Amino acid sequence: MSVAATSSASATASRFKVRRLGDALGAEVLGIDLRTPLDADDTQALLDIWMEHQVLVFPEQHVTDQQHVEFTRSFGDLEIFHQDIIRSKRVPEIFRVANVDEDGALMPPDHPTARQVSLAQFWHTDSSYRAVPCTGALLHGIEVSRTGGETQFTNMYAVYDALPEALRKQVEGRRALHDFGFLHVQQKLRPLSDAERSGMPAVWQPMVRTHPVTGRKSLYISPIYNEQIEGMSKEDSRALILELAAFAGQPQFVYSHRWETDDVVMWDNRCTMHQVTAFDPGERRVMHRTTILGDQPVAAA
Ligand code: OGA
Ligand code: MN
């Protein structure tokens, strides 16, 4: 593996080897074994590297689900997904992004779970529909795609900084509605029951936020959950959300990760969006995610 352009973390000298993965965001971190608990210094060093690069790739991590969960606890409590169709039956902290069920059977593309998972093929940030959205997530590639299935990440600080004046004016000081139920509308899935709706009520989130650790401003949207923007019709809201998503998805803001088996990728959901590229639905793809529970509401910039 190339170690060109390695450096140690800027804020804290550490034993980790860090290599930037592109101009937009992302770094590969070597010299770490996710099966071994991190001490306080290593945890802080890794957090500093994460804040600098937003997305970290840890190659060759042969972790069990339980080890994946334990490593994630270094960064906080874990979010448990509220729907049983995607949450693992075996390890409840695991969110399965998979077209294969837990007994190993490939799902047909029109299976409701496969359809819900396939909405990850459009830009979003995770659990933005919660009053306190998650901090970040760690995704483990268990059966990776060779026909597509790359995970793409946007640097939403850079997107905010580069927003043309006309777009900036429309998002500054405004809020967008984040609604888990909107997923189901888009995929024409069974509508959520009243109990499901009241368990996860839609929330208004600021469209420009200040990161609680870095203090930097970023654009905050999650297009698969945003049906509406404050003070706009639904039609105009969707048009603006799609225009912002297209702006954010330009190559200069994106790192695209081509997976190898046992990569673990850790991203900050407060300052990035992600999506997975299309792949052959006949190809098995199994990815297991842990999610770091948020520790505070979204701060408007
Ligand atoms: C996720 C997600 C994309 C992928 O885990 O939150 O959107 O590449 N995954 O599987
Ligand atoms: Mn996601």
Side-chain angles (χ1 to χ4, degrees), residues 95 97 117 119-120 122-127 137 139 151 153 222 224-225 267 269 273-276 289:
F95 174 106
V97 189
V117 167
L119 269 179
F122 200 71
W123 293 116
H124 64 282
T125 173
D126 300 316
S127 80
L139 189 64
T151 310
F153 297 91
S222 195
I224 63 175
Y225 303 120
W267 63 88
N269 270 306
M273 292 198 293
H274 57 277
Q275 68 177 7
V276 55
R289 191 186 93 192

Side-chain angles (χ1 to χ4, degrees), residues 71-88:
F71 180 74
T72 306
R73 285 195 212 289
S74 317
F75 308 103
D77 290 331
L78 275 75
E79 190 180 283
I80 298 198
F81 193 62
H82 59 284
Q83 277 187 322
D84 57 6
I85 57 168
I86 284 173
R87 187 178 62 223
S88 162

Side-chain angles (χ1 to χ4, degrees), residues 187-207:
Q187 281 292 13
K188 299 188 174 59
L189 296 170
R190 170 186 67 77
L192 296 183
S193 66
D194 288 348
E196 284 170 323
R197 284 211 148 267
S198 56
M200 196 55 77
V203 291
W204 291 98
Q205 305 282 18
M207 298 184 78

